[in-house]
Amino acid sequence: MFMIRMDELNIYNKRVLIRVDFNVPMKQGKILSDTRILASLPTIKLALQKNAQVIIMSHLGRPCEGVYDDKFSLLPIVEYLKNKLIKYKIKLVKDYLGGIILNQGEIIVLENVRFNHGESKNDEVLARKYAALCDIFVMDAFGIAHRSHASTCGIARFADVSCIGGLFSNELNILSEVMKTPKRPLVVIVGGSKISTKFDLLNTLSKIADYVIVGGGIANTFLAIENKVGRSLYEPNFIGLAKQLLSKYNIQVPIDLRISTEYSENSVDIIKNRTDILGNEFILDFGDKTIQSLVLILKKANTILWNGPLGVYEFPNFRRGTEIIAHTIANSHAFSVAGGGDTLAAIDLFGIKDSISYISTGGGAFLQFIESQSLPIISIMKRHVK
């Protein structure tokens, strides 16, 4: 999977445009989590240390394409960067498609690329305008690498030189290692609401994992093979496929569950065996016996791959399963890799970020790469290798 890395190039006094993923959660103009920004800083700092002229581009949220909207401006992120890169003048530029002026000691941040017509459709004219802004394009936005947009695949095609940054390289190396040569036992955790969106992922991971733990609506679909699940979220059309997976692989289906007759933040939890769920009840979390059995499995692991919460962890009475499993992973001697938006939110909630071996910045890209060992940008980047 050889691709040119930025640290292999002479970038002295070159215009280096780094595509980062600053699509961070925001509320009223305040950054709620800076994980993705912090992950991008080493590549930016390396470019500055090598005396490159640095331009940064990113998207934020889902504005109406082609329409400027203050709510999705990168200005709060520029203000954040000023506190992290205090030696440099950092300037947000709104109108840049016709060219930019970049002064010595200055970093330019291009305004949200999704304000540009043609960004999500990978418009060739737009991609060529992006490419004209730089001497070298650096793809370091792993979180958006599953999308063929003008600021990712498009610019990579037309820039004179295209390469990958340190964050992107690390993501590929670590995920490839987990998939190909994990230290065993390998325990995989796949949670979330719909098995339909993660069936290919489950199928791929089940083939290589020693244990697969399923949670949320995905677990409910497995439960529904032989049990009633009441009003719980599950997918009847996938029961047959779930049954096939269960018959072939070591998938851990919960034996007891926390349930309620209401789907509410204030619902009271009741623990029941999986065979005792009534028609008016919701399954919202694992029961204590299930949690205890999973903790024992995780304590034996040497590699853990975690994607998705195990229950409705947003409700205080139904976060026990996700919380205990999260802390067990954090305290484990295993090499742990976590990815996906809900997973990162749970990691932040439980304060274990520093105890996870590697946190992927990708959601969809994380899943796609694990499923297929490829991403749209990879084949384009390979073409730039002489």
Side-chain angles (χ1 to χ4, degrees):
M1 197 182 289
F2 181 73
M3 290 171 279
I4 301 170
R5 299 194 316 268
M6 187 188 78
D7 60 6
E8 298 174 315
L9 298 173
N10 177 11
I11 60 175
Y12 177 81
N13 207 31
K14 302 282 189 180
R15 281 195 171 201
V16 175
L17 196 164
I18 307 174
R19 176 48 159 112
V20 298
D21 183 7
F22 285 167
N23 186 33
V24 296
M26 307 271 289
K27 187 174 182 179
Q28 296 179 343
K30 302 293 184 183
I31 297 169
L32 299 180
S33 172
D34 61 358
T35 299
R36 284 179 170 172
I37 304 176
L38 292 175
S40 297
L41 284 179
T43 299
I44 296 169
K45 288 179 177 178
L46 179 60
L48 293 169
Q49 288 166 11
K50 293 197 170 194
N51 293 309
Q53 301 176 46
V54 174
I55 307 163
I56 298 169
M57 72 188 319
S58 178
H59 71 290
L60 176 64
R62 295 184 179 181
C64 178
E65 195 168 284
V67 179
Y68 177 82
D69 186 340
D70 279 336
K71 186 170 65 173
F72 298 103
S73 173
L74 294 181
L75 183 59
I77 293 170
V78 168
E79 295 303 319
Y80 175 96
L81 289 174
K82 287 178 180 178
N83 293 320
K84 294 292 181 181
L85 302 167
I86 56 176
K87 293 181 180 178
Y88 301 90
K89 181 181 179 182
I90 304 176
K91 185 170 140 186
L92 179 68
V93 176
K94 290 183 181 180
D95 300 315
Y96 50 83
L97 295 179
I100 55 176
I101 297 171
L102 183 56
N103 299 313
Q104 192 71 29
E106 184 176 68
I107 300 169
I108 284 189
V109 178
L110 307 180
E111 184 58 285
N112 192 339
V113 293
R114 288 188 176 170
F115 291 159
N116 299 323
H117 273 301
E119 166 61 21
S120 61
K121 292 182 179 179
N122 194 12
D123 178 75
E124 180 176 330
V125 173
L126 178 61
R128 287 183 180 277
K129 288 180 178 179
Y130 289 153
L133 298 175
C134 64
D135 302 309
I136 298 169
F137 170 64
V138 182
M139 177 60 178
D140 213 29
F142 182 78
I144 194 68
H146 58 309
R147 306 290 189 196
S148 295
H149 288 178
S151 66
T152 57
C153 293
I155 183 175
R157 284 177 58 206
F158 300 116
D160 290 339
V161 178
S162 289
C163 63
I164 59 174
L167 181 155
F168 199 95
S169 178
N170 286 341
E171 292 269 10
L172 297 185
N173 291 339
I174 288 171
L175 294 181
S176 295
E177 184 176 344
V178 169
M179 295 298 294
K180 293 176 182 177
T181 57
K183 291 184 179 179
R184 296 189 178 276
L186 166 62
V187 179
V188 168
I189 302 168
V190 181
S193 59
K194 293 184 178 181
I195 193 172
S196 57
T197 61
K198 294 188 179 180
F199 181 80
D200 290 341
L201 175 73
L202 266 174
N203 192 36
T204 299
L205 291 175
S206 296
K207 293 175 183 176
I208 65 167
D210 297 289
Y211 300 90
V212 178
I213 297 169
V214 290
I218 295 173
N220 295 343
T221 302
F222 281 95
L223 285 167
I225 295 170
E226 294 183 349
N227 305 278
K228 294 179 180 179
V229 294
R231 293 193 287 168
S232 310
L233 178 64
Y234 79 110
E235 292 181 279
N237 293 340
F238 276 80
I239 290 176
L241 291 171
K243 189 174 182 179
Q244 290 177 27
L245 290 178
L246 191 61
S247 68
K248 292 194 292 185
Y249 305 115
N250 191 5
I251 296 173
Q252 305 296 304
V253 180
I255 54 178
D256 65 339
L257 305 139
R258 279 183 163 77
I259 63 93
S260 177
T261 55
E262 295 181 3
Y263 188 88
S264 164
E265 187 172 358
N266 300 316
S267 299
V268 176
D269 63 310
I270 301 169
I271 296 179
K272 282 193 167 187
N273 289 330
R274 66 186 180 190
T275 56
D276 299 333
I277 308 302
L278 300 179
N280 67 333
E281 294 174 336
F282 294 95
I283 298 170
L284 301 177
D285 194 10
F286 289 167
D288 291 342
K289 291 178 183 177
T290 298
I291 294 170
Q292 289 169 12
S293 68
L294 298 180
V295 166
L296 292 176
I297 289 171
L298 287 166
K299 285 184 175 179
K300 293 187 292 185
N302 280 316
T303 307
I304 300 170
L305 181 64
W306 176 23
N307 173 256
L310 302 176
V312 187
Y313 74 99
E314 299 93 338
F315 295 173
N317 290 337
F318 299 97
R319 68 175 52 143
R320 184 173 174 81
T322 302
E323 184 170 14
I324 291 178
I325 295 303
H327 282 291
T328 302
I329 295 169
N331 294 325
S332 171
H333 67 273
F335 182 79
S336 53
V337 178
D342 288 335
T343 312
L344 302 191
I347 287 170
D348 284 341
L349 177 64
F350 303 131
I352 59 169
K353 183 162 63 174
D354 294 337
S355 300
I356 304 297
S357 306
Y358 189 79
I359 297 176
S360 174
T361 58
F366 173 86
L367 299 179
Q368 185 171 324
F369 185 76
I370 288 174
E371 287 171 19
S372 65
Q373 293 288 285
S374 185
L375 293 165
I377 191 72
I378 291 176
S379 60
I380 295 171
M381 285 296 180
K382 284 181 178 178
R383 294 176 205 159
H384 284 261
V385 179
K386 300 293 191 282

